Amino acid sequence: MSDTQSTRQEPSFTGAIPFKADGGYMPGLDGLRAISILIVVIAHVGFENLIPGGLGVTVFFFVSGFLITRILVAEQNQHAGAINLPGFYLRRFLRLAPALLVFLLGSWLMLLPFGVKVDAGHVAAALFYFINYYDVVREWFGWSERTIPWGHLWSLAVEEHFYLLFPAALALFGKTHQARVRLIVTSIVVCALWRAYAVMGLGLPHEHTYYTTDSRLENIAWGCLLAILLDGAPRTRARLAWLVGWHWVVLALGAILATLVYRDEVFRETLRYSIQGAALFLLVLNLYALRSLRFSIDLLELKPMRWIGRLSYSLYLWHVPIIWIVRQVMLGDANSLERLSPIGMVIAVALSFACACASYYAVERPLFGLRKRFGGKPVETLAAA
């Protein structure tokens, strides 16, 4: 089949994004982040049994993989496969570390009056992004229960490990499109097989499969795969047309719903993550490829959605200790099984947004200009990368 024939069969994209990765603004991604963080916050504020907070984190992972891969592949396209790794790592540091440092110090000071203790191990684990493994090891050995509410930083550790490893792997083993596809597909398969062996062969517990990087990296890799395939030659993109249509959207939504409803433990610790990753692949592909879904991008691009999406990092950092404090004040015990009153929930969410706004406007946003000096995009062209 000729490239001309392949081009005629390419997906009928909405025009919201170019096929080739260009590192520019990605419409809809801030909105997806907004949905994800709202799912997480609503779940944590007292609706864990109704709202799948873990799914919100999985969407975060996918979006991160998709966006970061687009940025890195765009750089490779412009520089014959090369990536400025020091520049990338410095931009990631400026994006993530300042807000994290302010959060760790600020939340510790806020929790001091409640007698919450923090040990040096937790501080080091949070600062150097290994709190996911730190807490898993503590669970394995039955060490003292975590006292400071920083456990949610596990997902930041997973993403940071991705930021550390993936660009270097792409620079070494992914200089061509075919090599990138092999790298990502291999990563997905190996991660899924390892997780299955860890559960069914080694009997590792839920804490390992849910929190650790070696188990959850697959969710990020599915986003990477979509970004790489979209950047491929017309023939590659033509093959994606087979996956575009409302029937695929319905199938993907149904698959995600099934992973939430089916409660078999082995399934939940193994295949659940693979199915969710593949379903998100289909949904985001169709978000940009299915013309009749263009209204979804318009909704995701509404100013309130974009605003919440850009607050999502700081909101994720602050909401857990804020909810902990509100529960402690209103219920007398933050670890009580009792649910907050509606007023308490509103207070917790409002205070979480207040802290997130302070962090975003006083810490994150002022550093966008500095990131630009090291190759980052201006704030207007970023989807909160």
Side-chain angles (χ1 to χ4, degrees):
M1 181 184 293
S2 69
D3 284 346
T4 301
Q5 291 173 317
S6 298
T7 302
R8 293 196 190 106
Q9 298 180 19
E10 285 188 18
S12 180
F13 267 50
T14 63
I17 62 170
F19 282 113
K20 299 296 290 184
D22 64 356
Y25 179 74
M26 294 291 295
L29 291 194
D30 278 329
L32 288 176
R33 281 201 181 98
I35 293 173
S36 301
I37 189 59
L38 290 175
I39 289 174
V40 172
V41 172
I42 292 171
H44 286 169
V45 84
F47 293 96
E48 295 91 343
N49 295 329
L50 299 175
I51 305 296
L55 179 62
V57 176
T58 299
V59 176
F60 267 122
F61 286 161
F62 185 95
V63 169
S64 293
F66 182 61
L67 180 56
I68 293 300
T69 303
R70 290 271 299 185
I71 292 172
L72 291 172
V73 170
E75 184 176 349
Q76 287 187 307
N77 290 342
Q78 295 170 8
H79 299 96
I83 297 174
N84 180 2
L85 293 177
F88 175 84
Y89 293 137
L90 182 57
R91 293 194 301 272
R92 286 291 88 193
F93 176 83
L94 292 172
R95 173 70 180 92
L96 301 174
L100 177 64
L101 289 170
V102 170
F103 162 75
L104 294 177
L105 178 60
S107 62
W108 176 66
L109 292 174
M110 292 170 65
L111 291 162
L112 271 180
F114 301 97
V116 175
K117 298 179 181 179
V118 57
D119 58 60
H122 271 117
V123 174
L127 279 175
F128 297 104
Y129 297 100
F130 63 91
I131 199 166
N132 54 342
Y133 287 101
Y134 182 79
D135 283 341
V136 166
V137 170
R138 289 172 68 91
E139 289 284 343
W140 284 354
F141 289 97
W143 295 348
S144 60
E145 185 179 357
R146 181 176 57 246
T147 55
I148 194 162
W150 288 350
H152 63 302
L153 300 183
W154 72 269
S155 65
L156 302 184
V158 173
E159 291 206 18
E160 190 65 24
H161 299 159
F162 163 72
Y163 298 143
L164 180 65
L165 298 174
F166 179 67
L170 204 60
L172 290 173
F173 308 112
K175 295 185 178 182
T176 67
H177 175 76
Q178 292 78 9
R180 292 170 200 147
V181 173
R182 286 196 298 269
L183 174 65
I184 294 303
V185 171
T186 300
S187 300
I188 291 173
V189 172
V190 169
C191 185
L193 291 176
W194 159 246
R195 190 171 55 244
Y197 176 69
V199 173
M200 295 183 287
L202 300 178
L204 297 183
H206 164 78
E207 288 76 19
H208 174 269
T209 54
Y210 189 82
Y211 294 111
T212 62
T213 304
D214 53 273
S215 175
R216 298 304 299 273
L217 201 61
E218 180 187 353
N219 290 135
I220 302 178
W222 278 103
C224 301
L225 180 62
L226 178 58
I228 289 170
L229 291 178
L230 289 179
D231 185 73
R235 182 173 297 181
T236 300
R237 297 195 298 268
R239 294 191 182 103
L240 287 176
W242 187 72
L243 299 174
V244 175
W246 275 104
H247 55 294
W248 289 109
V249 174
V250 172
L251 176 64
L253 290 173
I256 289 177
L257 179 62
T259 65
L260 302 176
V261 173
Y262 187 50
R263 309 301 294 180
D264 178 78
E265 286 303 314
V266 174
F267 168 81
R268 288 177 58 78
E269 304 301 337
T270 55
L271 285 176
R272 172 176 56 153
Y273 301 111
S274 299
I275 293 174
Q276 289 180 350
L280 288 171
F281 178 99
L282 289 173
L283 288 175
V284 177
L285 169 63
N286 279 274
L287 178 68
Y288 291 115
L290 187 59
R291 286 192 176 276
S292 53
L293 264 182
R294 177 62 197 242
F295 74 93
S296 299
I297 297 179
D298 295 335
L299 292 175
L300 293 171
E301 282 293 286
L302 292 174
K303 287 185 178 180
M305 297 294 286
R306 291 181 62 181
W307 179 70
I308 295 173
R310 290 181 174 178
L311 287 180
S312 60
Y313 175 49
S314 287
L315 186 55
Y316 187 82
L317 287 175
W318 283 97
H319 80 283
V320 170
I322 293 298
I323 292 172
W324 190 98
I325 290 172
V326 172
R327 291 182 60 83
Q328 184 69 30
V329 171
M330 300 193 73
L331 301 178
D333 180 8
N335 298 314
S336 170
L337 297 178
E338 184 180 352
R339 181 180 292 179
L340 279 171
S341 67
I343 293 177
M345 292 180 185
V346 171
I347 292 173
V349 172
L351 290 176
S352 297
F353 268 92
C355 290
C357 286
S359 175
Y360 179 75
Y361 290 107
V363 182
E364 293 183 58
R365 192 176 179 88
L367 291 173
F368 283 141
L370 184 58
R371 288 168 58 204
K372 185 181 176 182
R373 290 178 54 188
F374 296 100
K377 300 291 182 182
V379 64
E380 295 81 9
T381 63
L382 288 173

